[in-house]
Structure formats: structure tokens, C-alpha cells
């Protein structure tokens, strides 16, 4: 898929007069259009709800846009629950899919009426004894060696998440005995996957599990959550998942395996993060230095602290040199940040047009797991986040960190000079 950007050089030069680089900038209209496409693809379902995996882009301004498009929040920590609360999400608009969860977090989730999606059977007693169980309950399934995962998430058998089938059956039995009135079921076994067959396969697996557990335990399911994991086309040669086709293929299975079997109609849920915001965020950075040794380097004012994926996973992020979109890529560069870590590279051996100090570089697809994975190693300050609004104006949705933010947890008073007498 051709990589494009929703702004030009003049706009960026104008923005940098107010907000210096580096910054992440998000395209509001594209986020809205994409959310509508997803909702449309599953509009056949009796009810459909996407729960945005907050960890991908934990910014309330982005979550608010998604809320306006009917999207809820998938939270996995106290901070994420509080973000959801701040924008007014409550009750079944929030899925609490955590693991190794402290009781304080369950207590907050309970106070907010969020759906409890338990990662393990042992959490039933843990919650029951400490704060009491909710009426609605969901469990996370791990299919073990009956399914293969992909590179990012690993094989299900090696994954720390979810429960075996035997545990699932026992867990629903326990909850039925304890008086639960509403049941859901969840799985998440894939990440950044572009082959939609994987998701169709997951739907089939879950519908079959619903048949089995409904009969075995004597309960009716109200909702199924297929998790997230829909990939995005990071590379120009990648194609996005065809959401309409995916929706139709899941629909066919739903009719065959749920409706024709006389099971209760289900609400269909997803909890995607990456595909919701990923393609609609861009890290804008400025070239500072040009260095020639055994290779050609361009040093930029962003670092791995602003975008960890290339350094951490060797992930590809497309790169555009603003104003040189149509110039031939006659140079081969490593594009690097200033961390004292050799993996601090946004691109390695990338063919690009000749870059000069002062050029703006746009790193694509940073809208998920970009700013969110930022850190302060080497004293790096996390960048600002900007929103390119649907009317073309730009709004600051998170300011850049300052040195005062960085040092806020330190007490410097022992080092203050004593006043001389
Ligand atoms: C990370 C995560 C998601 C979102 O995954 P994406 O690949 O961003 O779609 C959904 N559910 C759970 C439980 C997660 O941990």
C-alpha cells in the first residue's frame, strides 16, 4: 500500500514554529474513517463493540475521538482504567483484560462497572475473598498447541496468558455456582497479523468452544471477544486486512455455528489497538548531523525513547524526507538517534534522497506503541503529541516533557549550597 502523509513541508515548518521537533502527530479524520469502517464491517452482528487497547496510545484526547465513534476501552492497569474514567467511559464500555492483577486494580474496575476478563481460574477465589465477584464474568482462553501463534506473540503454549480448556469449563462452573448472571469469553493469540485467515480461524475456534462450554456447563454466553492483533501495512508492499471480507467470513461462521445451532445471539467484540491508531500517527524529527565513517549516518533529534519498535524488534517503519518525496533515493543511510545504544536506529541501510541538516523526516505508523512505549533512559525527554484535527488545525494533546518533569522524583536539597555567613 502506497505510504502517504496527511501534511506537507510548509505545514510542518509552520507547526514547528510553535511546537519544536520531535513530536508525534495524529490524523483525526483518518482515525474516525477507519473506526467507521471497522464498525461497518461488523454491523451485521446483533451488537458489535470494539474496545480500544489503551496501551497502544494512552492519550485521553485520542480515546475521546474513539468514544465518539462508539469505541470502548480495553484496560489492563490502574492507570488505563483511570484514563477511561476521565473521558467518561463506564460499565460495559470497558473491558478489564489484565494479568497478574493486584486487588486494588480489580477494586477500581469493579467500582467502574467494567467487565472482568480473568486470565486465570485462581483469580475467582482471589477476587471473591477480597472484594466480592461481579455478576458479569469473562475468561481468557489459551488454546495451547491446538493453534500456532505468530512471531510477535509467540506460540500459545509458551504464552503466559489465558487458561486451558479444562480450566475454562471449571471456571464457568464455579461462576455459575456463585451466581454469575452474564457470561463472556475471550482470547488473544495473535499480534500484528495481516493474514485474515488467522482471525477467521480464531472465530471458528471460539464459536466451537462456546458450543462445547454452553452444553457442558449449562450456561448461555452473551458476548465473545476475539482480542486484537490485526496488523497494519508498515511496509509499502504490505496490504491491510480487508475488514469487510473479515466481517463477512465471521458472519458466515456465526450463522452456521451459533444461530443454526439454536444458541443465544452473541455480542461480537474486538479489542484491537494497533490497527485503530497505528497508521494514523507520525513521528516528525529533524536531521541534525551527517556523519560518514564505514557507513553514512544521519543523526536526528528524535531517539529510540520516542519510538522503540525499530531498536527493540528490528521493526520496519517507513520514512519520508519532507519536500523530497519525489527525489530519487540515491543514498543509503542509517537514520540514528542520540542514545548511547547502538540499536538506536530508526532505519538501517535505507535508500533515501540525499539528506541535509535541517531536513524534516517523517517516520510513519507511529500511532500505536510509539509515544506509548517511550522512556527516559539517558535522560531523554518524551516528546509532545499533536492532533491534526479534521478542520486542518493542529492541537497540542500532550506537551513535551521538561527537565523538571524528569527530575520531579528526586530530592536535590542535600546538594544545595549552604548559605555563607
Ligand atoms: C495488546 C493487547 C491488545 C491489542 O493488541 P493489538 O495488536 O494492538 O491489536 C488486545 N488485547 C490484549 C489483552 C492485549 O494485551
Amino acid at each position: 500500500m502506497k505510504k502517504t502523509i496527511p501534511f506537507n513541508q510548509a505545514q510542518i515548518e509552520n507547526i514547528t514554529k510553535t511546537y519544536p521537533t520531535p513530536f508525534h502527530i495524529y490524523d483525526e479524520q483518518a482515525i474516525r474513517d477507519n473506526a467507521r469502517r471497522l464498525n461497518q464491517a461488523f454491523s451485521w452482528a446483533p451488537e458489535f463493540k470494539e474496545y480500544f487497547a489503551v496501551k497502544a496510545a494512552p492519550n485521553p484526547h485520542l480515546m475521546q475521538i474513539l468514544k465518539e465513534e462508539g469505541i470502548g476501552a480495553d484496560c489492563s492497569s490502574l492507570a488505563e482504567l483511570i484514563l477511561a474514567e476521565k473521558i467518561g467511559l463506564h460499565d460495559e464500555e470497558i473491558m478489564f483484560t489484565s494479568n497478574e492483577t493486584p486487588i486494588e486494580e480489580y477494586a477500581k474496575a469493579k467500582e467502574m462497572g467494567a467487565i472482568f476478563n480473568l486470565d486465570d481460574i485462581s483469580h475467582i477465589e482471589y477476587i471473591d475473598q477480597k472484594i466480592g465477584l461481579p455478576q458479569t464474568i469473562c475468561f481468557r482462553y489459551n488454546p495451547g498447541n491446538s493453534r500456532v501463534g505468530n512471531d510477535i506473540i509467540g506460540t500459545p503454549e509458551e504464552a503466559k496468558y489465558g487458561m486451558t480448556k479444562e480450566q475454562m469449563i471449571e471456571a464457568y462452573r464455579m461462576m455459575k455456582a456463585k451466581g454469575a448472571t452474564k457470561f463472556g469469553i475471550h482470547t488473544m493469540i495473535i499480534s500484528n497479523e495481516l493474514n485474515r485467515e488467522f482471525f477467521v480461524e480464531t472465530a471458528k475456534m471460539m464459536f466451537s468452544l462456546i458450543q462445547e462450554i454452553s452444553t457442558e456447563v449449562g450456561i448461555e454466553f452473551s458476548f465473545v471477544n476475539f482480542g486484537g492483533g490485526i496488523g497494519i501495512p508498515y511496509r509499502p508492499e504490505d496490504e491491510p486486512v480487508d475488514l469487510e471480507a473479515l466481517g463477512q467470513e465471521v458472519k458466515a461462521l456465526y450463522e452456521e455455528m451459533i444461530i443454526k445451532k439454536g444458541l443465544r445471539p452473541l455480542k461480537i467484540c474486538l479489542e484491537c489497538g494497533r490497527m485503530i491508531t497505528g497508521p494514523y500517527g507520525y513521528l516528525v524529527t529533524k536531521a541534525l548531523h551527517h556523519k560518514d565513517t564505514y557507513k553514512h549516518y544521519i543523526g536526528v533529534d528524535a531517539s529510540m525513547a520516542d519510538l522503540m519498535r525499530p531498536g527493540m524488534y528490528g521493526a520496519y517503519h517507513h520514512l519520508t524526507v519532507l519536500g523530497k518525496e519525489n527525489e530519487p533515493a540515491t543514498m543509503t543511510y542509517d537514520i540514528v538517534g542520540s542514545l548511547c545504544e547502538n540499536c538506536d536506529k530508526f532505519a538501517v541501510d535505507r535508500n533515501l534522497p540525499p539528506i541535509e541538516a535541517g531536513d524534516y523526516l517523517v517516520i510513519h505508523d507511529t500511532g500505536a506503541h510509539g509515544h506509548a512505549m517511550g522512556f527516559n533512559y539517558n535522560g531523554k525527554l518524551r516528546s509532545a503529541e499533536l492532533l491534526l484535527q479534521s478542520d486542518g488545525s493542529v492541537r497540542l494533546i500532550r506537551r513535551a516533557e521538561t527537565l523538571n518533569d524528569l527530575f520531579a522524583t528526586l530530592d536535590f536539597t542535600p546538594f544545595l549550597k549552604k548559605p555563607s555567613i
Side-chain angles (χ1 to χ4, degrees), residues 53 55 74 97 140 188 191-192 228-230 271-274 369:
K55 70 170 193 257
D74 170 47
T97 302
R140 178 170 185 168
M188 162 96 192
S191 183
N192 194 24
I230 295 181
E271 51 182 29
C272 292
R274 189 187 310 274
H369 317 297

Side-chain angles (χ1 to χ4, degrees), residues 3-19:
K3 307 300 286 183
T4 58
I5 40 180
F7 41 73
N8 59 30
Q9 187 181 6
Q11 275 171 295
I12 291 297
E13 276 165 1
N14 201 27
I15 292 168
T16 57
K17 286 181 197 149
T18 316
Y19 308 112

